[in-house]
Amino acid sequence: MSIVIRPAVPADVRGINRLVEPMTHTGILLGKDLVSYYEAVQEFLVAVEDDGAVVGCGALHVMWEDLAEVRTLAVGDDQRGSGLGHQMLVALLERAVQLGLSRVFCLTFEVEFFSRHGFEVMADEVDPEVYNQLLRSPDEGIAEFLDLARVKPNTLGNTRMLKALGTQDAAVGREDGVGGRTR
């Protein structure tokens, strides 16, 4: 069976939810209502098998003119260790490069995985002007990026990480064949 990574469509939302929902019980991912997935479907990439089953997902949420967040990166239990998570992340980073972004943020328990992809533990420095603009956003991901006290209960144990993007990130995505068949 082959797997294709492609942009998500509304028909994928229930599959994304089925994939992510068990991970919310263990605290690996935050739970979301279906409506939230539908509202953000254009941010998602999915990995689908020939039969249309969603076996991986990830979203790229633009936060600022040069910054995005990788969100809801997940693969099914039977895909762990297969390289699909790597392929999903590379595809999301390639998408960030295509959008002209220079930095990508994540909030994760999987520090080692993201470190292997060039993410580093984030310093607490945010330009004061940008900080003031970002404070106006109702988005919880931005509050997590800013490390605001009101999101601390949801972020306990997570690590804030940041990756500076360059031209090599887009080239890596093409070399890995991301966007096409993967097995």
Side-chain angles (χ1 to χ4, degrees):
M1 185 168 289
S2 63
I3 295 174
V4 175
I5 295 174
R6 61 165 173 72
V9 296
D12 296 320
V13 166
R14 292 189 186 275
I16 292 169
N17 189 59
R18 274 191 296 277
L19 180 67
V20 171
E21 199 267 334
M23 294 177 206
T24 66
H25 298 296
T26 59
I28 294 172
L29 294 173
L30 292 177
K32 295 181 183 174
D33 295 322
L34 278 175
V35 69
S36 296
Y37 289 127
Y38 283 112
E39 289 173 343
V41 73
Q42 70 280 359
E43 297 178 354
F44 275 86
L45 295 178
V46 290
V48 294
E49 293 181 326
D50 293 334
D51 63 0
V54 175
V55 295
C57 66
L60 185 72
H61 178 77
V62 175
M63 298 168 67
W64 196 247
E65 65 187 335
D66 66 337
L67 176 68
E69 178 184 7
V70 170
R71 294 182 172 179
T72 320
L73 182 60
V75 297
D77 287 337
D78 58 336
Q79 295 297 325
R80 302 248 159 117
S82 70
L84 183 58
H86 161 77
Q87 293 169 349
M88 294 294 304
L89 181 56
V90 168
L92 291 166
L93 294 174
E94 184 175 79
R95 188 180 236 190
V97 169
Q98 291 168 352
L99 290 170
L101 303 172
S102 60
R103 300 177 299 155
V104 176
F105 164 76
C106 71
L107 181 70
T108 186
F109 290 111
E110 301 294 336
V111 174
E112 207 173 295
F113 172 80
F114 282 96
S115 291
R116 286 194 309 266
H117 291 88
F119 284 77
E120 296 177 355
V121 175
M122 192 177 134
D124 288 333
E125 302 170 14
V126 177
D127 177 87
E129 180 183 331
V130 173
Y131 184 90
N132 287 329
Q133 289 293 320
L134 290 176
L135 273 177
R136 298 175 183 177
S137 174
D139 186 89
E140 289 298 304
I142 290 178
E144 292 162 352
F145 173 76
L146 296 175
D147 203 25
L148 300 179
R150 69 180 169 84
V151 295
K152 294 285 188 194
N154 290 333
T155 63
L156 291 177
N158 280 305
T159 301
R160 296 178 325 135
M161 301 185 80
L162 196 64
K163 176 180 174 66
L165 298 175
T167 55
Q168 75 281 1
D169 293 295
V172 166
R174 284 190 293 278
E175 289 170 11
D176 286 348
V178 171
R181 299 199 178 263
T182 61
R183 276 201 296 179

